[in-house]
Amino acid sequence: MTEPKKIYIADDEANIRHAIKAFLESAGYAVQDFETGDALLAAFAESPADLVVLDVMMPGSNGFVVCKELRKTSHVPIIMLTARDSDLDYATGLDLGSDDYLVKPFSPMALTMRVKAIFRRIEFERQANGG
């Protein structure tokens, strides 16, 4: 049996972290949540995740900074999750290397389905490349 995919979440709002964690864990993922982007970066350096969910507006290193830092060393899928809904914010998130951008308020079920879709795509690409 394979280990569940590991997902890291960084959001300074505890209720959002807990809701996301509950939905993703019920879908079979191993989830670790962090109050800051800096804490997520430290954990990722020790033990990389299979996918990262980042709030944009956090104290310390915001989600854009964390995304940029992760992209220096990793191709981990990143979903930005934020109340910032301008076209510029959306474009910035994608330009920095995020794979998806979801605006708050959001449906935890929709986020879970996006996570599943990303993992399906990765598995399809792995199989297509003979892996």
Side-chain angles (χ1 to χ4, degrees):
M1 187 157 181
T2 61
E3 276 189 41
K5 299 281 188 194
K6 181 169 46 172
I7 298 175
Y8 287 170
I9 302 164
D11 195 306
D12 59 333
E13 294 182 49
N15 59 336
I16 291 177
R17 285 195 318 272
H18 295 227
I20 295 169
K21 186 174 183 176
F23 267 82
L24 292 175
E25 285 178 342
S26 71
Y29 300 109
V31 181
Q32 192 169 353
D33 63 294
F34 305 92
E35 190 172 354
T36 68
D38 295 316
L40 184 145
L41 285 172
F44 195 92
E46 292 292 318
S47 177
D50 297 301
L51 185 138
V52 172
V53 178
L54 293 173
D55 182 21
V56 171
M57 298 182 294
M58 294 182 287
S61 297
N62 69 34
F64 290 150
V65 171
V66 174
C67 182
K68 189 175 181 178
E69 286 301 309
L70 288 171
R71 282 293 172 252
K72 289 180 180 178
T73 60
S74 175
H75 293 291
V76 65
I78 298 170
I79 298 175
M80 305 300 287
L81 181 66
T82 180
R84 295 177 66 161
D85 64 351
S86 76
D87 287 345
L88 179 60
D89 291 322
Y90 185 81
T92 299
L94 294 175
D95 190 49
L96 290 172
S98 71
D99 296 273
D100 204 348
Y101 195 97
L102 192 58
V103 177
K104 296 176 185 176
F106 68 100
S107 158
M109 184 185 297
L111 174 64
T112 302
M113 298 314 293
R114 287 172 184 229
V115 167
K116 287 181 178 184
I118 287 172
F119 284 137
R120 274 195 311 271
R121 186 194 77 230
I122 290 169
E123 180 60 22
F124 176 80
E125 289 172 358
R126 186 186 66 76
Q127 289 179 0
N129 292 323

